mmCIF file of all heavy atoms in Angstrom:
data_model
loop_
_atom_site.group_PDB
_atom_site.id
_atom_site.type_symbol
_atom_site.label_atom_id
_atom_site.label_comp_id
_atom_site.label_asym_id
_atom_site.label_seq_id
_atom_site.Cartn_x
_atom_site.Cartn_y
_atom_site.Cartn_z
ATOM 1 N N ASP A 386 -13.607 -19.301 -16.698
ATOM 2 C CA ASP A 386 -12.359 -19.675 -16.024
ATOM 3 C C ASP A 386 -11.323 -18.558 -16.102
ATOM 4 O O ASP A 386 -10.533 -18.354 -15.171
ATOM 5 C CB ASP A 386 -11.809 -20.979 -16.594
ATOM 6 C CG ASP A 386 -11.564 -20.919 -18.092
ATOM 7 O OD1 ASP A 386 -12.097 -20.013 -18.760
ATOM 8 O OD2 ASP A 386 -10.826 -21.792 -18.598
ATOM 9 N N GLN A 387 -11.331 -17.792 -17.190
ATOM 10 C CA GLN A 387 -10.403 -16.667 -17.295
ATOM 11 C C GLN A 387 -10.747 -15.576 -16.287
ATOM 12 O O GLN A 387 -9.853 -14.948 -15.704
ATOM 13 C CB GLN A 387 -10.435 -16.101 -18.714
ATOM 14 C CG GLN A 387 -9.905 -17.054 -19.772
ATOM 15 C CD GLN A 387 -9.932 -16.427 -21.157
ATOM 16 O OE1 GLN A 387 -9.650 -15.240 -21.331
ATOM 17 N NE2 GLN A 387 -10.281 -17.227 -22.151
ATOM 18 N N VAL A 388 -12.047 -15.353 -16.080
ATOM 19 C CA VAL A 388 -12.469 -14.371 -15.077
ATOM 20 C C VAL A 388 -12.012 -14.807 -13.688
ATOM 21 O O VAL A 388 -11.515 -13.994 -12.901
ATOM 22 C CB VAL A 388 -14.002 -14.189 -15.105
ATOM 23 C CG1 VAL A 388 -14.453 -13.300 -13.937
ATOM 24 C CG2 VAL A 388 -14.449 -13.588 -16.420
ATOM 25 N N ILE A 389 -12.138 -16.080 -13.391
ATOM 26 C CA ILE A 389 -11.764 -16.592 -12.069
ATOM 27 C C ILE A 389 -10.274 -16.394 -11.813
ATOM 28 O O ILE A 389 -9.863 -15.894 -10.765
ATOM 29 C CB ILE A 389 -12.147 -18.081 -11.948
ATOM 30 C CG1 ILE A 389 -13.676 -18.234 -11.954
ATOM 31 C CG2 ILE A 389 -11.549 -18.692 -10.675
ATOM 32 C CD1 ILE A 389 -14.154 -19.657 -12.124
ATOM 33 N N TRP A 390 -9.451 -16.773 -12.788
ATOM 34 C CA TRP A 390 -8.006 -16.635 -12.589
ATOM 35 C C TRP A 390 -7.591 -15.172 -12.561
ATOM 36 O O TRP A 390 -6.678 -14.786 -11.817
ATOM 37 C CB TRP A 390 -7.243 -17.398 -13.673
ATOM 38 C CG TRP A 390 -7.322 -18.877 -13.519
ATOM 39 C CD1 TRP A 390 -7.856 -19.772 -14.387
ATOM 40 C CD2 TRP A 390 -6.874 -19.651 -12.397
ATOM 41 N NE1 TRP A 390 -7.760 -21.054 -13.891
ATOM 42 C CE2 TRP A 390 -7.157 -21.007 -12.670
ATOM 43 C CE3 TRP A 390 -6.246 -19.335 -11.190
ATOM 44 C CZ2 TRP A 390 -6.842 -22.036 -11.792
ATOM 45 C CZ3 TRP A 390 -5.944 -20.354 -10.310
ATOM 46 C CH2 TRP A 390 -6.238 -21.689 -10.605
ATOM 47 N N TRP A 391 -8.252 -14.339 -13.349
ATOM 48 C CA TRP A 391 -7.954 -12.900 -13.321
ATOM 49 C C TRP A 391 -8.282 -12.327 -11.946
ATOM 50 O O TRP A 391 -7.511 -11.538 -11.380
ATOM 51 C CB TRP A 391 -8.745 -12.188 -14.402
ATOM 52 C CG TRP A 391 -8.579 -10.702 -14.406
ATOM 53 C CD1 TRP A 391 -7.502 -9.995 -14.837
ATOM 54 C CD2 TRP A 391 -9.531 -9.725 -13.949
ATOM 55 N NE1 TRP A 391 -7.717 -8.653 -14.682
ATOM 56 C CE2 TRP A 391 -8.949 -8.451 -14.147
ATOM 57 C CE3 TRP A 391 -10.812 -9.801 -13.418
ATOM 58 C CZ2 TRP A 391 -9.609 -7.281 -13.808
ATOM 59 C CZ3 TRP A 391 -11.469 -8.632 -13.071
ATOM 60 C CH2 TRP A 391 -10.873 -7.379 -13.270
ATOM 61 N N HIS A 392 -9.421 -12.724 -11.387
ATOM 62 C CA HIS A 392 -9.814 -12.245 -10.063
ATOM 63 C C HIS A 392 -8.830 -12.711 -8.996
ATOM 64 O O HIS A 392 -8.505 -11.966 -8.060
ATOM 65 C CB HIS A 392 -11.228 -12.739 -9.735
ATOM 66 C CG HIS A 392 -11.688 -12.373 -8.357
ATOM 67 N ND1 HIS A 392 -11.648 -13.257 -7.292
ATOM 68 C CD2 HIS A 392 -12.184 -11.203 -7.856
ATOM 69 C CE1 HIS A 392 -12.104 -12.662 -6.214
ATOM 70 N NE2 HIS A 392 -12.437 -11.421 -6.518
ATOM 71 N N ARG A 393 -8.321 -13.913 -9.133
ATOM 72 C CA ARG A 393 -7.429 -14.460 -8.110
ATOM 73 C C ARG A 393 -6.047 -13.816 -8.123
ATOM 74 O O ARG A 393 -5.288 -13.969 -7.155
ATOM 75 C CB ARG A 393 -7.306 -15.977 -8.282
ATOM 76 C CG ARG A 393 -8.573 -16.722 -7.879
ATOM 77 C CD ARG A 393 -8.421 -18.218 -8.015
ATOM 78 N NE ARG A 393 -9.630 -18.903 -7.589
ATOM 79 C CZ ARG A 393 -9.792 -20.226 -7.607
ATOM 80 N NH1 ARG A 393 -8.794 -21.005 -8.036
ATOM 81 N NH2 ARG A 393 -10.922 -20.767 -7.206
ATOM 82 N N GLN A 394 -5.717 -13.109 -9.160
ATOM 83 C CA GLN A 394 -4.427 -12.416 -9.179
ATOM 84 C C GLN A 394 -4.327 -11.389 -8.064
ATOM 85 O O GLN A 394 -3.235 -11.074 -7.586
ATOM 86 C CB GLN A 394 -4.196 -11.764 -10.537
ATOM 87 C CG GLN A 394 -3.944 -12.740 -11.657
ATOM 88 C CD GLN A 394 -3.830 -12.036 -12.998
ATOM 89 O OE1 GLN A 394 -3.644 -10.820 -13.069
ATOM 90 N NE2 GLN A 394 -3.964 -12.788 -14.069
ATOM 91 N N ARG A 395 -5.459 -10.836 -7.638
ATOM 92 C CA ARG A 395 -5.438 -9.851 -6.561
ATOM 93 C C ARG A 395 -4.967 -10.474 -5.256
ATOM 94 O O ARG A 395 -4.391 -9.798 -4.408
ATOM 95 C CB ARG A 395 -6.827 -9.250 -6.341
ATOM 96 C CG ARG A 395 -7.913 -10.268 -5.994
ATOM 97 C CD ARG A 395 -9.174 -9.611 -5.456
ATOM 98 N NE ARG A 395 -8.950 -9.125 -4.119
ATOM 99 C CZ ARG A 395 -8.987 -9.909 -3.033
ATOM 100 N NH1 ARG A 395 -9.205 -11.197 -3.147
ATOM 101 N NH2 ARG A 395 -8.775 -9.390 -1.851
ATOM 102 N N CYS A 396 -5.200 -11.774 -5.077
ATOM 103 C CA CYS A 396 -4.807 -12.430 -3.839
ATOM 104 C C CYS A 396 -3.294 -12.519 -3.715
ATOM 105 O O CYS A 396 -2.779 -12.780 -2.633
ATOM 106 C CB CYS A 396 -5.416 -13.836 -3.772
ATOM 107 S SG CYS A 396 -7.218 -13.823 -3.721
ATOM 108 N N GLY A 397 -2.588 -12.320 -4.818
ATOM 109 C CA GLY A 397 -1.132 -12.352 -4.761
ATOM 110 C C GLY A 397 -0.561 -11.002 -4.409
ATOM 111 O O GLY A 397 0.017 -10.812 -3.345
ATOM 112 N N LYS A 398 -0.751 -10.009 -5.275
ATOM 113 C CA LYS A 398 -0.024 -8.748 -5.121
ATOM 114 C C LYS A 398 -0.606 -7.817 -4.066
ATOM 115 O O LYS A 398 0.126 -7.240 -3.275
ATOM 116 C CB LYS A 398 0.057 -8.044 -6.474
ATOM 117 C CG LYS A 398 0.983 -8.764 -7.454
ATOM 118 C CD LYS A 398 2.379 -8.905 -6.872
ATOM 119 C CE LYS A 398 3.300 -9.687 -7.779
ATOM 120 N NZ LYS A 398 4.632 -9.890 -7.178
ATOM 121 N N SER A 399 -1.937 -7.642 -4.048
ATOM 122 C CA SER A 399 -2.471 -6.700 -3.066
ATOM 123 C C SER A 399 -2.288 -7.223 -1.652
ATOM 124 O O SER A 399 -1.991 -6.470 -0.726
ATOM 125 C CB SER A 399 -3.954 -6.413 -3.342
ATOM 126 O OG SER A 399 -4.741 -7.580 -3.192
ATOM 127 N N GLU A 400 -2.432 -8.530 -1.440
ATOM 128 C CA GLU A 400 -2.242 -9.086 -0.107
ATOM 129 C C GLU A 400 -0.753 -9.161 0.257
ATOM 130 O O GLU A 400 -0.385 -9.037 1.423
ATOM 131 C CB GLU A 400 -2.908 -10.450 -0.008
ATOM 132 C CG GLU A 400 -4.435 -10.340 -0.115
ATOM 133 C CD GLU A 400 -5.140 -11.666 0.062
ATOM 134 O OE1 GLU A 400 -4.460 -12.661 0.362
ATOM 135 O OE2 GLU A 400 -6.367 -11.701 -0.117
ATOM 136 N N GLU A 401 0.099 -9.368 -0.744
ATOM 137 C CA GLU A 401 1.544 -9.291 -0.487
ATOM 138 C C GLU A 401 1.917 -7.880 -0.055
ATOM 139 O O GLU A 401 2.768 -7.687 0.821
ATOM 140 C CB GLU A 401 2.324 -9.683 -1.739
ATOM 141 C CG GLU A 401 3.829 -9.586 -1.589
ATOM 142 C CD GLU A 401 4.565 -9.842 -2.892
ATOM 143 O OE1 GLU A 401 4.398 -10.938 -3.455
ATOM 144 O OE2 GLU A 401 5.289 -8.942 -3.343
ATOM 145 N N ALA A 402 1.267 -6.891 -0.663
ATOM 146 C CA ALA A 402 1.532 -5.498 -0.283
ATOM 147 C C ALA A 402 1.189 -5.256 1.177
ATOM 148 O O ALA A 402 1.870 -4.497 1.874
ATOM 149 C CB ALA A 402 0.742 -4.553 -1.185
ATOM 150 N N HIS A 403 0.124 -5.892 1.675
ATOM 151 C CA HIS A 403 -0.231 -5.736 3.087
ATOM 152 C C HIS A 403 0.879 -6.266 3.985
ATOM 153 O O HIS A 403 1.197 -5.665 5.014
ATOM 154 C CB HIS A 403 -1.542 -6.470 3.382
ATOM 155 C CG HIS A 403 -2.728 -5.849 2.731
ATOM 156 N ND1 HIS A 403 -3.930 -6.502 2.578
ATOM 157 C CD2 HIS A 403 -2.904 -4.616 2.177
ATOM 158 C CE1 HIS A 403 -4.791 -5.704 1.958
ATOM 159 N NE2 HIS A 403 -4.185 -4.560 1.721
ATOM 160 N N ALA A 404 1.461 -7.384 3.601
ATOM 161 C CA ALA A 404 2.566 -7.935 4.384
ATOM 162 C C ALA A 404 3.762 -6.987 4.372
ATOM 163 O O ALA A 404 4.436 -6.800 5.393
ATOM 164 C CB ALA A 404 2.963 -9.303 3.842
ATOM 165 N N VAL A 405 4.025 -6.379 3.219
ATOM 166 C CA VAL A 405 5.115 -5.416 3.120
ATOM 167 C C VAL A 405 4.845 -4.218 4.027
ATOM 168 O O VAL A 405 5.725 -3.762 4.766
ATOM 169 C CB VAL A 405 5.302 -4.965 1.662
ATOM 170 C CG1 VAL A 405 6.277 -3.785 1.574
ATOM 171 C CG2 VAL A 405 5.796 -6.121 0.802
ATOM 172 N N MET A 406 3.625 -3.706 4.000
ATOM 173 C CA MET A 406 3.281 -2.539 4.803
ATOM 174 C C MET A 406 3.482 -2.780 6.292
ATOM 175 O O MET A 406 3.999 -1.919 7.017
ATOM 176 C CB MET A 406 1.818 -2.157 4.562
ATOM 177 C CG MET A 406 1.483 -1.668 3.181
ATOM 178 S SD MET A 406 -0.309 -1.428 3.066
ATOM 179 C CE MET A 406 -0.503 -1.279 1.286
ATOM 180 N N LYS A 407 3.079 -3.961 6.752
ATOM 181 C CA LYS A 407 3.064 -4.225 8.190
ATOM 182 C C LYS A 407 4.351 -4.851 8.721
ATOM 183 O O LYS A 407 4.633 -4.743 9.917
ATOM 184 C CB LYS A 407 1.870 -5.126 8.531
ATOM 185 C CG LYS A 407 0.520 -4.445 8.301
ATOM 186 C CD LYS A 407 -0.642 -5.301 8.746
ATOM 187 C CE LYS A 407 -0.879 -6.492 7.845
ATOM 188 N NZ LYS A 407 -2.113 -7.234 8.210
ATOM 189 N N HIS A 408 5.115 -5.512 7.852
ATOM 190 C CA HIS A 408 6.297 -6.224 8.330
ATOM 191 C C HIS A 408 7.598 -5.686 7.730
ATOM 192 O O HIS A 408 8.577 -5.498 8.447
ATOM 193 C CB HIS A 408 6.154 -7.716 8.024
ATOM 194 C CG HIS A 408 4.914 -8.324 8.597
ATOM 195 N ND1 HIS A 408 4.651 -8.332 9.948
ATOM 196 C CD2 HIS A 408 3.844 -8.925 7.999
ATOM 197 C CE1 HIS A 408 3.480 -8.927 10.169
ATOM 198 N NE2 HIS A 408 2.974 -9.283 9.004
ATOM 199 N N ASP A 409 7.616 -5.438 6.416
ATOM 200 C CA ASP A 409 8.823 -4.891 5.799
ATOM 201 C C ASP A 409 8.988 -3.409 6.126
ATOM 202 O O ASP A 409 10.107 -2.912 6.235
ATOM 203 C CB ASP A 409 8.781 -5.068 4.281
ATOM 204 C CG ASP A 409 8.808 -6.531 3.868
ATOM 205 O OD1 ASP A 409 8.628 -7.397 4.743
ATOM 206 O OD2 ASP A 409 8.999 -6.818 2.679
ATOM 207 N N LEU A 410 7.865 -2.710 6.240
ATOM 208 C CA LEU A 410 7.863 -1.293 6.597
ATOM 209 C C LEU A 410 7.282 -1.149 8.011
ATOM 210 O O LEU A 410 7.067 -2.141 8.697
ATOM 211 C CB LEU A 410 7.073 -0.492 5.561
ATOM 212 C CG LEU A 410 7.614 -0.585 4.119
ATOM 213 C CD1 LEU A 410 6.661 0.071 3.136
ATOM 214 C CD2 LEU A 410 8.989 0.055 4.019
ATOM 215 N N ALA A 411 7.016 0.059 8.428
ATOM 216 C CA ALA A 411 6.662 0.309 9.834
ATOM 217 C C ALA A 411 5.168 0.458 10.069
ATOM 218 O O ALA A 411 4.759 0.981 11.107
ATOM 219 C CB ALA A 411 7.393 1.563 10.331
ATOM 220 N N GLY A 412 4.336 -0.025 9.141
ATOM 221 C CA GLY A 412 2.899 0.101 9.323
ATOM 222 C C GLY A 412 2.339 -0.778 10.416
ATOM 223 O O GLY A 412 1.219 -0.541 10.891
ATOM 224 N N GLY A 413 3.069 -1.788 10.840
ATOM 225 C CA GLY A 413 2.557 -2.694 11.853
ATOM 226 C C GLY A 413 2.776 -2.235 13.278
ATOM 227 O O GLY A 413 2.278 -2.864 14.216
ATOM 228 N N GLN A 414 3.502 -1.126 13.479
ATOM 229 C CA GLN A 414 3.771 -0.601 14.825
ATOM 230 C C GLN A 414 3.209 0.817 14.919
ATOM 231 O O GLN A 414 3.877 1.779 14.574
ATOM 232 C CB GLN A 414 5.279 -0.597 15.113
ATOM 233 C CG GLN A 414 5.914 -1.971 15.167
ATOM 234 C CD GLN A 414 5.579 -2.713 16.445
ATOM 235 O OE1 GLN A 414 5.211 -2.107 17.450
ATOM 236 N NE2 GLN A 414 5.692 -4.024 16.402
ATOM 237 N N LEU A 415 1.966 0.922 15.354
ATOM 238 C CA LEU A 415 1.310 2.231 15.414
ATOM 239 C C LEU A 415 1.753 2.969 16.675
ATOM 240 O O LEU A 415 1.852 2.378 17.756
ATOM 241 C CB LEU A 415 -0.200 2.054 15.374
ATOM 242 C CG LEU A 415 -0.695 1.380 14.083
ATOM 243 C CD1 LEU A 415 -2.182 1.112 14.144
ATOM 244 C CD2 LEU A 415 -0.364 2.231 12.865
#
Side-chain angles (χ1 to χ4, degrees):
D386 57 343
Q387 294 181 39
V388 173
I389 293 168
W390 288 118
W391 176 75
H392 176 261
R393 288 182 178 179
Q394 290 176 16
R395 59 166 287 280
C396 296
K398 290 303 176 183
S399 64
E400 293 183 5
E401 178 186 301
H403 292 163
V405 170
M406 294 175 194
K407 294 185 289 186
H408 304 300
D409 295 12
L410 300 172
Q414 295 285 339
L415 299 175

